[in-house]
Amino acid sequence: ALPDLIPAHQPPGIVFCGHGRADGNALLLGDTALWDADNLDVCAGRWFHAIACYSAPALGLEAIARGVTAFVGYNGLVLADWETDAIPPQAQPIVAEILSVVSNRLHQDVRDEQALRRAIRDAYDVWVRWKSANHRQLRRMKTTFTSQAIDDLLRSLCVGLRLHVAPPQPSCG
């Protein structure tokens, strides 16, 4: 059961990497809806980062209604069309940072959509510098991974990113 997948130590956030249903109402594992309106309350009190196509429109609003403190999803396709073992070993930490920077910022309580986009672009700038310094080596590698793939990923993450945040709770005082 899905609640059994959430560790007992109550992590402050959840990151989902997978597929989103085109109607924006579910996050999928294969053909099975793993996260949808029926079970998002399991995530109440936590932030949620859905690295999946079409994860923001409906699911983000539903997540906030179910008690999720912040939800980041994407309004369109998230283009990550390569196998992880195809990424050159030297570039793996850079690609990992591009993919994890939003989750890391959510963990640091960043709740500003533009700040999250800037963080992605800053991580991407590291890629651009690495690519520039290693372009000959990258061209010679026999891999399905291309620098265009990272460019496509950046565009899909920055353009499609949508942050939903729960309204502040009134303070007692």
Side-chain angles (χ1 to χ4, degrees):
L2 191 55
D4 297 333
L5 297 176
I6 307 296
H9 70 278
Q10 301 294 316
I14 294 172
V15 179
F16 173 83
C17 299
H19 301 282
R21 201 162 56 198
D23 65 7
N25 289 318
L27 300 174
L28 308 174
L29 185 60
D31 293 329
T32 304
L34 187 61
W35 294 103
D36 59 22
D38 292 333
N39 59 18
L40 279 168
D41 55 335
V42 172
C43 306
R46 299 177 180 86
W47 54 262
F48 195 111
H49 184 196
I51 305 172
C53 300
Y54 308 109
S55 53
L59 207 55
L61 293 172
E62 188 64 40
I64 297 304
R66 300 287 177 140
V68 172
T69 60
F71 183 96
V72 171
Y74 300 88
N75 284 328
L77 295 174
V78 174
L79 301 172
D81 193 21
W82 66 80
E83 298 296 321
T84 54
D85 59 355
I87 301 169
Q90 312 90 311
Q92 288 174 1
I94 299 166
V95 174
E97 177 65 13
I98 292 170
L99 287 169
S100 64
V101 69
V102 169
S103 300
N104 291 336
R105 293 303 186 278
L106 287 170
H107 186 69
Q108 296 164 355
D109 286 328
V110 173
R111 299 295 186 265
D112 177 75
E113 198 169 286
Q114 292 307 315
L116 295 174
R117 283 194 175 100
R118 270 192 310 279
I120 294 169
R121 283 192 298 272
D122 290 347
Y124 178 73
D125 288 345
V126 173
W127 161 254
V128 170
R129 287 191 297 277
W130 182 87
K131 181 175 73 169
S132 177
N134 296 282
H135 68 279
R136 286 189 182 105
Q137 177 186 1
L138 190 58
R139 217 176 306 128
R140 286 192 302 264
M141 291 182 186
K142 301 224 186 295
T143 178
T144 57
F145 178 81
T146 65
S147 61
Q148 184 63 48
I150 291 295
D151 296 340
D152 292 343
L153 174 64
L154 169 79
R155 271 190 296 285
S156 65
L157 292 178
C158 274
V159 172
L161 184 138
R162 179 72 173 95
L163 170 67
H164 299 276
V165 180
Q169 298 298 315
S171 60
C172 296

